[in-house]
Amino acid sequence: MSVQHVGSSSAIRLRFGPFELNVAERSLCKASQIVPLGGRAYDILIALLENAGEVVPKSELIAKAWPDVTVEEGSLRVHLSALRKALGDGQFGNKYIANIQGRGYSFIAPVARLPGGRDTGNASSGLSNLPPALGRMVGRNNVVLEIQRWLRTEQRLITILGAGGIGKTTVALSVGHGALADFSGAVFFVDLSTAGDNEQVIGAVASALGLAPQLVDPREALLNFLRARRALVILDSCEHVIERTADIADYIVRNAPEIHILATSRETLRVPGERVLRLCPLDCPPEQPRPTASEVLAYPAARLFAERVSARRGSFSLSDDEAPLVAEICRKLDGIALAIELAAGRAAVFGVRNTVARLGSRLDLLKFGRRTANPRHQTLKATLDWSHDHLSEVERVVLRRVAIFIGHFSLEAACAVAEQGGTDRSEIEGAVENLVNKSLIVAWPSYRRMLYRLLDTTRSYAWEKLAESGEHHSMAARHASHLSRSLQDNRGNLFDPEPGQSLTDSTQHNLGDVRAALEWSFGPDGNDRAATRMAAAASQLLLAKSLFLECRNWMEKALDRIAAEDDPRDQMEIHASLALSLMFTAGNSERVRDAFNTALTLAEQREDAYQQLRLLSGLSMYLHRTIDAAGSLEVARRAETVANKTGNPEDAALADSMLGAAYYMLADHVRAPKYLERALRGAPTSRRFNATQYLFDLRTTSLFNLTRSHWFAGNLDSAAGYAERTIEEAERADHPIALCRALILTMPLYFWIDELGQVELNLSALELTAEKYSLEPFRAVAVGLKGRHLVRVGQAEDGMCHLRDSLEKLRVLRYEMLVTDFVSELAVGLAKQNQRAEALNLIDGSIATQLGSNRPLHLPALFLAKGSVLVCGESQQRDLAAECFGEAMTLAAQQSALSFELRAGLELARLWIDRGQGRRAHELIGAVYGRFTEGFETPDLVLARRVLEQTSVRARQAG
């Protein structure tokens, strides 16, 4: 409710709860007793009541209470506290003022407007037939004010347009009551819902104006009455007599210059001078985890629900537990005011939770009702029957057939599904246009084309009509067939969203329809061919949405349906999608390798270079995860051969990225960066990660391999720069796999340079992303990384438990990427707790695995860790420790892994210094330190300088 004209005769007293406010006297009473209220608190209360149900910003409240003074926000809180205390806000379940976090405050209790004493006998009241307002409005104050502003600027014909039950009549009546003063009480309400045909329209208008039946021309008599008057005429529910209403409205506007017309309709009048205001659904709370009551009540749809439950039940205070349920109700009902009011009536009797459950039934949804309303508003079914009964036959056919679509659909899609049984394309296009004009289909402007959808309430109704018609099976078949063709023809567009739109948003419109088509295709009415075709077509959408578990389940079902004669492209897509989704949800099993190889064989048989590169990139990722360096190089060279044939620069960049990754795994830190840098130069920075083109993100893969290669090579500043770029580009890629891989493979660098704050941030992002998308291998890695972090911050016991847990999970998942890191950290931790035998068994086992599998990359780190384990033992093991540190330095030097060579050297130098061999330590560290060209502020290089200074001083002292 708005009380903008609080000084007018129709808005002089307001009632809320047990309180009554006299605006003119600036007094607040409770049970006839004056409630003491300071001037500032009173001004704040008035400002909140003027916008009851809306959020009032803090700045606006301050401006109302302190118009000529600059004050701090704390002053507002003090006076709000006093106001709440005076109202007993929050006591005995009464709630008046809500603090909307970060936005302002809102008066959330129902407010009734009472007539003032001086209204009695107002002459204008006898002129108007305006019915009482339909209760307190929620979320429509701005709309009412906008229409009132138009009326004051001499806009003489306004149509409030919207779907049935959206609140058009409520808004029109509120405008009418607010306009009584402007029109000296001459506001007339004409209910056209009872007009059975066009000829009865003018009679209904004349009757509402108080004219007696005319024997002469009723149009002329009506004009004679209106020509000399200033009045507002509200024509309510025009849609079923739209042509006659448009004719009368145009006639009046042209010939009676002081008459204003406000129409409500599900279809525009389409006459000259008409100003249309489309009434949108009430804003609903978005989907979010565990919203609070205050967050949900910030949206008008939820406030309307809560108020209507209170009106039926007597009192209703929304709890945080029920808040997500109310948000779900509002979303399911599309913010349609009538639907929300009907659901609130059900909730008042059966409770919120039960109402949510009943909303799952289309039949219950349509039968929610109230007995006291206008017949066409008593149930949703009655409201929709009203519209349906006034449709042409072809419009009824098209409406029920497009109900097969769950989300948005294009005009082409509507024609593809509905064009059956003698209904041709031109008829369908015309019917869709008419259904949009009649507010039964919602038009949704898109970057590329116009899209359409049915509101859920309308779709539920039309679905019942479809079921009754016996056409459901044929429509479902056409729907699945159209979707499979459309997805196959537009795969590239899945990853090319509109400007400003996220990848998630761009695919959301199709997902419900794709799931429905999959269920039908694999169900009893479908068939094997339809099932495999639909699964292959849907796979890329499911991958685009990162629904890896769902994709895996459908692909496994499709494998059971594949026949030898099926399209090889569909077979290839099913195997490839199974491989990728299985790899990210269940680890790197042989099934993954087999699926990739099967798909690759099909691509080679078809001589499809595009698919060969795509599948080779997926196989390369699998081999990278299992640390198969030799296999990775072989696959990369195959990709290079294919790329040379295509001549496409992006294909060449992919091959370079794969080669760079393979050389990194082979510990060749000279060749690896050259290929990776060339890959980045050939891969456009502006392009989004496109999993339909390649199965890994070329740019972030190249960047994290460059990060690690530069780290190993001792280029620590460059490595840190590449790590930062890796995370930034992975976040822009808008894909959880790219982000998880980037986080996992850059975090070890941050451990190395002791940037534990960055580790914490990245670990949190990794845990959330892996959990959200059920990425089991990444969740297992996150456990290990958390274990490393706990050990580093002094929580060794918990950290080692995490490391053990992670290693066990990664063994089952066959994910090898960071296993040696975790083994090294756990072994050193065990040694520090005097469990050296277990520590040595663990580290020796890992060294043997690396040597046996020809994995040289992590050997320097493992020998470094073994030396640290031996240092924790008896003094006689120090010689063995020195040998391990020396072996680590030798292996690192062979790989040009300068960072590991220095760290092993520092450990060896420490042993030598303890033995009084300072000069030897000085020469060792000086030789390694002198080869660094950057990273001088990182911990190892700072320590190296300190060692050099100390050994230099001792050497001088000894001399």
Side-chain angles (χ1 to χ4, degrees):
M1 188 198 84
S2 175
V3 288
Q4 294 295 318
H5 306 293
V6 293
S8 73
S9 60
S10 60
I12 196 167
R13 290 187 298 133
L14 305 170
R15 177 177 293 161
F16 54 90
F19 297 96
E20 185 174 309
L21 179 76
N22 189 308
V23 177
E25 297 177 1
R26 287 177 65 88
S27 64
L28 181 68
C29 295
K30 180 180 180 182
S32 301
Q33 298 294 316
I34 295 292
V35 177
L37 206 59
R40 305 289 190 196
Y42 184 87
D43 290 335
I44 293 168
L45 177 59
I46 285 290
L48 290 169
L49 289 170
E50 285 179 341
N51 298 277
E54 307 296 328
V55 179
V56 184
K58 296 173 185 177
S59 58
E60 187 174 322
L61 291 175
I62 290 172
K64 290 278 189 180
W66 292 273
D68 302 314
V69 183
T70 301
V71 299
E72 298 294 331
E73 195 176 296
S75 299
L76 174 63
R77 288 196 294 269
V78 169
H79 288 279
L80 267 166
S81 178
L83 175 58
R84 281 173 157 159
K85 185 176 181 181
L87 298 177
D89 194 18
Q91 298 178 12
F92 311 109
N94 295 318
K95 186 70 176 171
Y96 300 104
I97 300 170
N99 179 7
I100 310 302
Q101 192 69 31
R103 298 178 62 190
Y105 296 88
S106 178
F107 197 91
I108 58 174
V111 181
R113 182 169 55 188
L114 306 176
R118 60 181 176 174
D119 281 350
T120 306
N122 190 321
S124 67
S125 65
L127 297 176
S128 174
N129 72 336
L130 200 60
L134 299 178
R136 190 174 95 84
M137 279 197 318
V138 175
R140 300 298 194 193
N141 290 340
N142 290 338
V143 172
V144 170
L145 291 173
E146 180 74 357
I147 296 173
Q148 290 174 342
R149 185 179 66 80
W150 288 353
L151 289 171
R152 293 192 187 103
T153 56
E154 298 305 309
Q155 183 69 48
R156 295 183 52 224
L157 177 55
I158 301 168
T159 299
I160 304 173
L161 183 70
I166 206 164
K168 301 183 295 295
T169 302
T170 301
V171 170
L173 286 174
S174 182
V175 171
H177 281 283
L180 281 167
D182 290 341
F183 288 92
S184 301
V187 178
F188 302 96
F189 183 84
V190 184
D191 182 2
L192 292 177
S193 66
T194 58
D197 55 46
N198 286 340
E199 296 307 316
Q200 295 178 11
V201 172
I202 195 166
V205 175
S207 175
L209 294 173
L211 290 177
Q214 302 290 322
L215 297 176
V216 295
D217 182 2
R219 284 166 56 101
E220 190 62 29
L222 180 62
L223 188 61
N224 288 336
F225 178 81
L226 293 175
R227 186 179 283 120
R229 288 176 167 80
R230 174 176 169 77
L232 171 65
V233 179
I234 299 174
L235 302 177
D236 187 53
S237 301
C238 305
E239 55 275 348
H240 63 299
V241 283
I242 194 71
E243 292 181 1
R244 185 59 171 164
T245 303
D247 178 57
I248 293 297
D250 182 51
Y251 180 72
I252 291 172
V253 168
R254 283 189 291 105
N255 294 286
E258 291 298 314
I259 301 300
H260 294 64
I261 292 178
L262 176 62
T264 74
S265 179
R266 303 177 194 184
E267 184 176 356
T268 58
L269 300 180
R270 287 184 280 187
V271 298
E274 180 185 24
R275 184 77 176 265
V276 176
L277 188 144
R278 182 177 289 276
L279 198 60
C280 298
L282 294 169
D283 284 344
C284 297
E287 286 193 58
Q288 57 179 323
R290 296 183 296 277
T292 64
S294 292
E295 289 171 335
V296 168
L297 289 172
Y299 293 87
R303 290 201 300 277
L304 176 64
F305 181 89
E307 287 195 7
R308 295 306 185 256
V309 174
S310 292
R312 288 287 299 273
R313 187 188 290 181
S315 65
F316 174 71
S317 181
L318 182 63
S319 66
D320 286 346
D321 288 341
E322 289 183 323
L325 302 177
V326 170
E328 183 182 350
I329 288 172
C330 294
R331 288 193 300 270
K332 280 188 173 182
L333 298 177
D334 287 305
I336 301 295
L338 173 62
I340 291 170
E341 292 192 20
L342 296 177
R346 177 61 61 94
V349 177
F350 297 104
V352 173
R353 195 172 299 277
N354 179 272
T355 302
V356 172
R358 299 295 292 274
L359 280 173
S361 164
R362 290 191 177 89
L363 193 59
D364 275 358
L365 174 65
L366 296 173
K367 289 184 176 179
F368 280 7
R370 56 185 183 187
R371 288 188 295 273
T372 58
N374 181 302
R376 72 181 189 279
H377 285 160
Q378 286 182 353
T379 66
L380 290 173
K381 186 175 186 303
T383 300
L384 289 161
D385 278 340
W386 169 262
S387 295
H388 188 265
D389 290 346
H390 294 94
L391 297 179
S392 68
E393 182 56 32
V394 69
E395 289 168 352
R396 293 177 186 178
V397 169
V398 171
L399 180 64
R400 72 172 180 252
R401 289 179 178 176
V402 297
I404 200 72
F405 291 102
I406 293 174
H408 292 78
F409 57 89
S410 65
L411 188 58
E412 292 76 13
C415 291
V417 168
E419 197 171 357
Q420 176 180 300
T423 307
D424 63 29
R425 184 182 180 90
S426 62
E427 288 181 303
I428 295 168
E429 290 176 349
V432 169
E433 180 182 6
N434 291 339
L435 291 167
V436 170
N437 290 336
K438 295 174 181 181
S439 303
L440 286 166
I441 292 180
V442 178
W444 188 280
S446 171
Y447 177 63
R448 296 187 182 89
R449 56 185 172 174
M450 186 69 74
L451 296 176
Y452 305 90
R453 69 172 288 238
L454 299 180
L455 296 179
D456 281 352
T457 48
T458 307
R459 181 174 178 269
S460 298
Y461 178 87
W463 182 274
E464 297 293 334
K465 296 295 183 183
L466 180 63
E468 292 170 6
S469 71
E471 294 179 338
H472 175 259
H473 177 76
S474 61
M475 289 301 107
R478 294 178 71 88
H479 176 247
S481 176
H482 165 72
L483 275 175
S484 62
R485 287 196 310 272
S486 178
L487 287 168
Q488 288 169 346
D489 293 343
N490 296 285
R491 280 178 179 163
N493 290 337
L494 287 178
F495 294 83
D496 187 17
E498 300 174 12
Q501 187 180 41
S502 73
L503 183 61
T504 300
D505 293 337
S506 70
T507 57
Q508 187 65 47
H509 301 331
N510 305 88
L511 188 57
D513 283 294
V514 168
R515 283 171 169 159
L518 283 166
E519 292 286 356
W520 180 85
S521 300
F522 281 89
D525 295 327
N527 57 72
D528 290 350
R529 184 69 195 94
T532 54
R533 187 190 303 119
M534 190 65 221
S539 61
Q540 287 306 306
L541 178 64
L542 296 173
L543 293 175
K545 288 284 294 174
S546 302
L547 297 168
F548 299 106
L549 273 174
E550 186 173 352
C551 181
R552 169 185 160 188
N553 291 337
W554 286 118
M555 296 310 112
E556 288 182 325
K557 289 180 181 178
L559 281 179
D560 295 335
R561 303 285 194 101
I562 282 181
E565 62 273 15
D566 282 348
D567 189 331
R569 290 173 299 179
D570 290 346
Q571 297 184 52
M572 179 176 59
E573 196 62 67
I574 289 167
H575 283 288
S577 299
L578 174 64
L580 193 67
S581 57
L582 192 63
M583 181 165 61
F584 289 119
T585 58
N588 307 303
S589 66
E590 285 300 317
R591 284 188 68 202
V592 174
R593 185 196 290 265
D594 291 345
F596 271 132
N597 284 329
T598 300
L600 192 53
T601 300
L602 289 164
E604 289 169 344
Q605 289 172 352
R606 299 182 66 250
E607 297 184 348
D608 188 335
Y610 168 79
Q611 290 292 350
Q612 288 178 56
L613 280 169
R614 179 169 173 259
L615 292 161
L616 285 168
S617 76
L619 188 55
S620 174
M621 183 160 45
Y622 169 84
L623 296 168
H624 199 75
R625 291 156 67 90
T626 55
I627 316 295
D628 185 344
S632 179
L633 182 60
E634 187 268 331
V635 165
R637 285 175 173 161
R638 288 171 65 185
E640 186 180 36
T641 301
V642 178
N644 288 337
K645 291 179 181 178
T646 69
N648 186 323
E650 288 189 45
D651 294 344
L654 174 69
D656 283 337
S657 181
M658 293 166 64
L659 283 164
Y663 284 123
Y664 160 73
M665 282 195 290
L666 287 166
D668 188 339
H669 302 301
V670 175
R671 276 195 284 190
K674 294 178 181 178
Y675 282 100
L676 295 168
E677 291 280 10
R678 194 165 72 183
L680 286 175
R681 289 194 296 271
T685 56
S686 59
R687 179 162 297 176
R688 184 187 299 273
F689 170 31
N690 185 342
T692 63
Q693 184 173 7
Y694 307 126
L695 295 183
F696 71 24
D697 183 3
L698 187 157
R699 289 194 61 82
T700 55
T701 299
S702 299
L703 284 167
F704 67 62
N705 280 318
L706 267 171
T707 298
R708 295 178 67 85
S709 191
H710 277 294
W711 159 31
F712 278 51
N715 305 320
L716 294 170
D717 290 341
S718 297
Y722 277 118
E724 188 175 346
R725 279 183 61 189
T726 303
I727 303 302
E728 289 175 355
E729 294 212 16
E731 289 173 342
R732 284 202 299 271
D734 193 24
H735 199 283
I737 300 301
L739 180 59
C740 285
R741 296 180 80 210
L743 292 167
I744 282 170
L745 292 165
T746 56
M747 231 179 298
L749 169 67
Y750 291 118
F751 277 111
W752 186 269
I753 60 177
D754 207 26
E755 291 280 355
L756 295 186
Q758 192 64 48
V759 169
E760 288 182 20
L761 290 173
N762 291 358
L763 182 56
S764 176
L766 173 63
E767 289 173 326
L768 288 171
T769 307
E771 181 71 29
K772 179 178 179 180
Y773 294 98
S774 301
L775 305 174
E776 288 303 319
F778 294 146
R779 288 166 75 174
V781 174
V783 172
L785 288 166
K786 186 169 185 178
R788 288 194 70 183
H789 182 259
L790 289 169
V791 170
R792 294 295 181 89
V793 297
Q795 300 178 46
E797 198 66 42
D798 284 349
M800 290 167 64
C801 286
H802 278 75
L803 287 165
R804 288 182 188 277
D805 186 23
S806 175
L807 285 168
E808 179 58 30
K809 290 176 178 176
L810 292 174
R811 183 189 62 78
V812 173
L813 295 167
R814 294 188 65 207
Y815 189 96
E816 300 285 346
M817 295 289 289
L818 297 186
V819 163
T820 54
D821 287 10
F822 300 158
V823 165
S824 298
E825 192 85 48
L826 179 58
V828 174
L830 288 168
K832 288 178 179 178
Q833 293 185 347
N834 296 318
Q835 300 177 56
R836 286 181 292 278
E838 183 182 352
L840 284 171
N841 285 335
L842 184 65
I843 205 81
D844 284 340
S846 188
I847 289 172
T849 298
Q850 305 305 308
L851 290 171
S853 304
N854 189 25
R855 301 177 186 173
L857 181 65
H858 299 296
L859 286 173
L862 288 168
F863 276 101
L864 176 59
K866 183 174 181 179
S868 298
V869 168
L870 291 167
V871 165
C872 297
E874 303 297 332
S875 57
Q876 61 266 30
Q877 291 187 310
R878 296 297 176 93
D879 290 340
L880 293 174
E883 290 179 13
C884 286
F885 292 140
E887 180 67 12
M889 288 190 72
T890 300
L891 290 167
Q894 292 171 356
Q895 299 177 9
S896 300
L898 190 57
S899 288
F900 286 87
E901 190 177 354
L902 176 61
R903 182 162 289 187
L906 287 169
E907 294 297 331
L908 183 56
R910 182 178 290 114
L911 292 178
W912 287 351
I913 290 169
D914 289 343
R915 295 173 181 175
Q917 298 175 313
R919 183 181 296 278
R920 188 181 181 190
H922 185 91
E923 291 173 353
L924 176 71
I925 299 304
V928 179
Y929 181 82
R931 286 158 38 213
F932 277 87
T933 59
E934 59 179 84
F936 294 105
E937 298 307 314
T938 55
D940 282 357
L941 274 76
V942 170
L943 177 58
R945 287 199 299 274
R946 190 178 305 130
V947 169
L948 289 172
E949 290 168 2
Q950 291 172 351
T951 53
S952 178
V953 169
R954 290 182 185 181
R956 287 197 299 271
Q957 289 173 345

